[in-house]
């Protein structure tokens, strides 16, 4: 539980930093990454509720709420991305954008290591799987770095393209969570 809380705190700090950079740079790729990381942090809440209340019903309903929130925010992000394709706009504050990408990569990597260590100590396959997920999310955040480089060399369309890829990824994982909750 402590490992889960600690890794969440790291991810939350990374998400807040990224959100602040999004507000100044206006990068839609970063917006989708913030929503993805925030959504992942939220999906840990139902597990926490189930653990604390020992209630399966509570876990399921909390799960539905989280899926609804993540789905709504993913669709909202998708609208922004499509908007950006129609009305191209180059993100500003590229150095801050680069830092936001690095913060995402490092934050997810730290979360991955915390979960792997705890998972091995407790021999919990779920925690180890969460570790793998966090590392994969680090690669997603690396997309922000890639997008920043493309913007810097004069290809700003990379921003909505990366945003579109991340939006698709969020919608895919949201669908998977929904299927898991229904089955559970
Ligand atoms: Zn994720």
């Amino acid at each position: 539980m402590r490992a889960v809380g600690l890794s969440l705190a790291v991810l939350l700090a990374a998400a807040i930093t990224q959100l602040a950079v999004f507000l100044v740079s206006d990068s839609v790729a970063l917006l989708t990454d913030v929503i993805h990381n925030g959504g992942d942090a939220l999906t840990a809440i139902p597990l926490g509720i189930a653990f604390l209340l020992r209630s399966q019903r509570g876990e399921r309903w909390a799960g539905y709420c989280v899926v609804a929130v993540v789905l709504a925010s993913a669709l909202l992000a998708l609208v922004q991305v499509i908007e950006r394709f129609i009305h191209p706009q180059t993100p500003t504050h590229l150095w801050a954008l680069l830092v936001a990408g690095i913060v995402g990569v490092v934050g997810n990597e730290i979360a991955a290591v915390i979960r792997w260590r705890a998972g091995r100590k407790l021999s919990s396959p779920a925690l180890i799987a969460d570790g793998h997920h966090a590392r994969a999310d680090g690669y997603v955040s690396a997309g922000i770095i890639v997008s920043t480089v493309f913007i810097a060399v004069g290809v700003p369309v990379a921003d909505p393209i990366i945003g579109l890829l991340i939006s698709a990824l969020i919608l895919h994982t949201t669908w998977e969570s929904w299927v898991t909750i229904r089955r559970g």
Side-chain angles (χ1 to χ4, degrees):
M1 229 16 207
R2 219 173 60 97
V4 172
L6 190 62
S7 61
L8 276 183
V10 171
L11 290 180
L12 209 62
I16 291 168
T17 310
Q18 289 187 316
L19 184 63
V21 174
F22 163 70
L23 292 176
V24 296
S25 73
D26 208 22
S27 152
V28 285
L30 183 57
L31 174 66
T32 54
D33 197 34
V34 170
I35 288 176
H36 173 203
N37 287 329
D40 280 354
L42 282 179
T43 45
I45 294 173
L47 280 175
I49 289 176
F51 189 88
L52 291 175
L53 302 179
R54 309 218 169 272
S55 153
Q56 283 248 308
R57 232 175 84 94
E59 180 185 7
R60 179 176 290 213
W61 279 103
Y64 281 133
C65 289
V66 167
V67 165
V69 170
V70 174
L71 181 65
S73 46
L75 291 176
L76 213 71
L78 195 59
V79 169
Q80 300 283 323
V81 169
I82 292 167
E83 247 279 314
R84 191 57 56 92
F85 274 116
I86 300 169
H87 303 289
Q89 193 188 324
T90 307
T92 57
H93 299 76
L94 294 189
W95 282 110
L97 202 53
L98 188 66
V99 169
I102 294 169
V103 163
V105 171
V106 172
N108 276 304
E109 189 60 29
I110 292 173
V113 170
I114 292 171
R115 287 167 181 176
W116 278 329
R117 276 203 193 136
R120 242 178 274 134
K121 209 187 278 174
L122 306 168
S123 43
S124 155
L127 260 179
I128 293 172
D130 275 353
H132 292 316
H133 178 159
R135 166 158 286 176
D137 286 353
Y139 291 123
V140 176
S141 290
I144 304 302
I145 299 173
V146 172
S147 149
T148 308
V149 170
F150 274 102
I151 296 166
V153 297
V155 191
V157 76
D159 187 51
I161 289 174
I162 300 273
L164 193 64
L165 290 176
I166 301 178
S167 299
L169 183 84
I170 303 171
L171 289 174
H172 176 76
T173 48
T174 308
W175 168 253
E176 280 186 335
S177 316
W178 194 70
V179 170
T180 309
I181 298 166
R182 287 218 63 177
R183 229 190 285 129

